[in-house]
Amino acid sequence: MLPDFDENGEVAVIADDPAKENGVQSAFSRFMKDALFELPTAEVVTKVITGLEDLYQHDIEDQDMQGDIYEYMLGKAASSGTNGQFRTPKHIRDMMVELLAPTPDDSICDPACGTAGFLISAAEYIRGKFEHNMSDEQWAHFQSTAFSGFDTDMTMLRISAMNLMLHGITHPVIDYKNSVSEKNTIDSEYTVCLANPPFKGTVDVETISTSLKAVTNTKKTELLFIALFLRMLKKGGRCACIVPDGVLFGSSKAHKAMRKELVENHTLQAVISMPSGVFKPYAGVSTAILVFIKTGAGGTEDVWFYDMQADGFSLDDKRSEVQENDIPDIIERFHHLDGEKERKRTEQSFFVPKQEIIDNGYDLSINKYKEIEYVPVEYPPSEEIIANIEALELEIQKNLAELKDMLKE
């Protein structure tokens, strides 16, 4: 669905926009109205239009393909370093969505949405699983209130609005908002949160929401956003978020308070450790995925740990496709956790009891609990090793003597 333009060439309010009745424009209209479109020479424009028309007629008449091309363009921008800090690799987003398994009735939010990649992955999952069985009410929800995203960058909001529109989500709740500030008062509104919040960022103490500081008194955004997810979720709501490794084992009061909140007052389901190359070439930080449920009354018994070693791509700057890929195994095991009970600490995934985590200061680093199995190596007796060295030395002396004789000739 393409935007309508008025007689002045500006983006007009979409005719069937339900928010129009209240005098509010759609997300696309609001964030694209002052966008500047610069065109090259007439000859280039003609070639581009002709090429796109041919491509559209023969290859991408369906809306999904248009969205796929847009996602491809965003991926290229990320790999070249342009806006890359806002984009999580699609296969990682898709894995996180499959872990939470959203339904057409869920209300999904990414409070640091960037290019809206998580919302797109959630929408694709829902359409793939439920498209043929969704009611009219569910479709209306899907195209509007099912997906919400916030960001503090107008360029990212424009990209988000376009991305969602090209994927059939015509009226998403996309807004300019500093999610961790006092101005964000959203509480207990969503059933699913998916996000890769800013790492190693800090914010002005005076602007931070007091409700977030009550959970973890810090300026670190990676901790504030976890507290934010808990506040924004309804009871029973699920979250999968990416965090830097420091969140798992940081020794500050704020780090420990945040981990204690998850373990004691909610249900921490899983900690999935990812290799440091996942975000290359534009970042090499080691990260993990936290999966938890907001309960407000505890519920953590055993936490499932998984040591991801491969994600289907090389872990260097090239990120070429490889055969090694733990993602299918992660998804399969997470949805069948009963079969994980007997797994040993020497294996790639295993459970850790809540009490053991408490005894370790709420440390969530997999290396704290993983056991390394040492295979004994038997060596020959010392006398035999010495005899072999002496024999080798004699052989060397013999060869050197032969070489000297050859040089004399």
Side-chain angles (χ1 to χ4, degrees):
M1 179 177 180
L2 296 177
D4 297 324
F5 296 87
D6 60 21
E7 62 273 10
N8 298 319
E10 296 182 352
V11 178
V13 177
I14 298 175
D16 60 347
D17 190 341
K20 185 182 177 184
E21 298 177 1
N22 300 322
V24 180
Q25 293 179 318
S26 68
F28 184 85
S29 301
R30 284 187 290 123
F31 296 118
M32 296 299 290
K33 65 181 179 181
D34 58 348
L36 177 63
F37 296 91
E38 295 183 359
L39 298 177
T41 63
E43 292 80 4
V44 174
V45 173
T46 301
K47 290 181 180 179
V48 171
I49 292 175
T50 302
L52 288 175
E53 182 68 20
D54 181 69
L55 181 64
Y56 182 81
Q57 289 181 354
H58 294 92
D59 296 301
I60 60 170
E61 289 189 46
D62 65 285
Q63 200 171 53
D64 288 342
M65 186 61 73
Q66 296 179 57
D68 290 344
I69 288 178
Y70 194 72
E71 278 285 296
Y72 173 80
M73 292 169 63
L74 292 179
K76 286 300 180 184
S79 64
S80 64
T82 304
N83 295 332
Q85 64 270 32
F86 299 98
R87 190 173 186 275
T88 307
K90 188 176 187 301
H91 63 288
I92 300 296
R93 297 182 342 234
D94 291 344
M95 176 187 71
M96 293 168 65
V97 169
E98 289 208 45
L99 293 178
L100 296 190
T103 72
D105 297 317
D106 278 314
S107 297
I108 304 165
C109 181
D110 180 353
C113 67
T115 61
F118 278 105
L119 302 181
I120 297 301
S121 290
E124 290 175 340
Y125 178 88
I126 292 171
R127 290 185 65 177
K129 292 284 186 179
F130 305 100
E131 183 172 14
H132 300 295
N133 299 311
M134 289 169 62
S135 65
D136 291 342
E137 291 79 9
Q138 288 174 327
W139 275 116
H141 176 59
F142 179 89
Q143 293 175 341
S144 56
T145 53
F147 303 98
S148 300
F150 312 118
D151 208 289
T152 56
D153 188 310
M154 291 299 294
T155 300
M156 290 299 103
L157 292 170
R158 288 170 181 161
I159 293 174
S160 295
M162 175 70 80
N163 202 7
L164 290 162
M165 184 189 70
L166 288 175
H167 283 85
I169 305 165
T170 52
H171 310 125
V173 183
I174 299 295
D175 205 358
Y176 182 90
K177 193 187 297 290
N178 182 352
S179 294
V180 297
S181 72
E182 284 283 10
K183 294 182 179 180
N184 179 14
T185 59
I186 298 174
D187 193 332
S188 303
E189 188 165 325
Y190 305 105
T191 58
V192 170
C193 275
L194 289 153
N196 181 5
F199 294 172
K200 301 185 183 302
T202 58
V203 292
D204 187 352
V205 176
E206 296 179 356
T207 66
I208 301 174
S209 171
T210 54
S211 65
L212 304 184
K213 289 193 290 185
V215 177
T216 175
N217 191 8
T218 182
K219 295 189 294 182
K220 294 183 177 296
T221 53
E222 59 265 35
L223 298 177
L224 291 171
F225 268 92
I226 299 176
L228 177 69
F229 301 145
L230 291 172
R231 192 191 74 192
M232 296 177 73
L233 284 170
K234 297 180 179 179
K235 283 190 177 181
R238 300 102 66 204
C239 178
C241 65
I242 297 174
V243 298
D245 273 1
V247 171
L248 306 180
F249 56 78
S251 58
S252 72
K253 290 183 179 179
H255 283 88
K256 290 183 178 179
M258 191 66 261
R259 298 196 299 266
K260 181 178 180 180
E261 176 72 15
L262 288 174
V263 172
E264 296 286 3
N265 298 329
H266 304 279
T267 301
L268 178 60
Q269 291 182 291
V271 178
I272 301 169
S273 176
M274 294 192 292
S276 59
V278 166
F279 291 98
K280 285 188 176 182
Y282 47 88
V285 62
S286 295
T287 57
I289 297 171
L290 297 180
V291 183
F292 55 87
I293 300 172
K294 176 181 178 177
T295 65
T300 302
E301 294 182 0
D302 298 302
V303 179
W304 186 64
F305 286 79
Y306 193 104
D307 185 13
M308 180 199 289
Q309 298 174 359
D311 68 338
F313 295 86
S314 63
L315 299 175
D316 54 17
D317 287 350
K318 294 182 179 180
R319 294 292 278 159
S320 306
E321 288 193 40
V322 297
Q323 290 186 344
E324 295 77 13
N325 188 0
D326 291 329
I327 290 178
D329 187 54
I330 292 171
I331 295 170
E332 174 67 20
R333 291 184 181 280
F334 180 80
H335 289 298
H336 299 87
L337 289 179
D338 289 342
E340 298 288 291
K341 295 291 186 182
E342 302 303 320
R343 300 268 287 181
K344 298 178 180 179
R345 300 285 178 91
T346 55
E347 299 183 79
Q348 203 165 357
S349 63
F350 51 83
F351 275 111
V352 176
K354 173 185 174 181
Q355 188 58 50
E356 186 175 349
I357 293 174
I358 296 172
D359 294 342
N360 280 289
Y362 299 97
D363 193 314
L364 297 177
S365 172
I366 192 169
N367 292 328
K368 190 73 174 180
Y369 308 101
K370 189 177 180 66
E371 295 177 0
I372 299 175
E373 187 174 11
Y374 295 97
V375 179
V377 178
E378 293 186 6
Y379 295 98
S382 301
E383 295 80 3
E384 183 178 338
I385 294 175
I386 293 173
N388 290 335
I389 294 174
E390 290 175 339
L392 182 60
E393 185 176 1
L394 289 173
E395 182 70 21
I396 292 172
Q397 293 297 329
K398 178 182 177 183
N399 292 336
L400 282 174
E402 293 177 355
L403 179 59
K404 288 178 181 179
D405 292 339
M406 292 172 62
L407 292 173
K408 288 178 182 179
E409 297 176 357

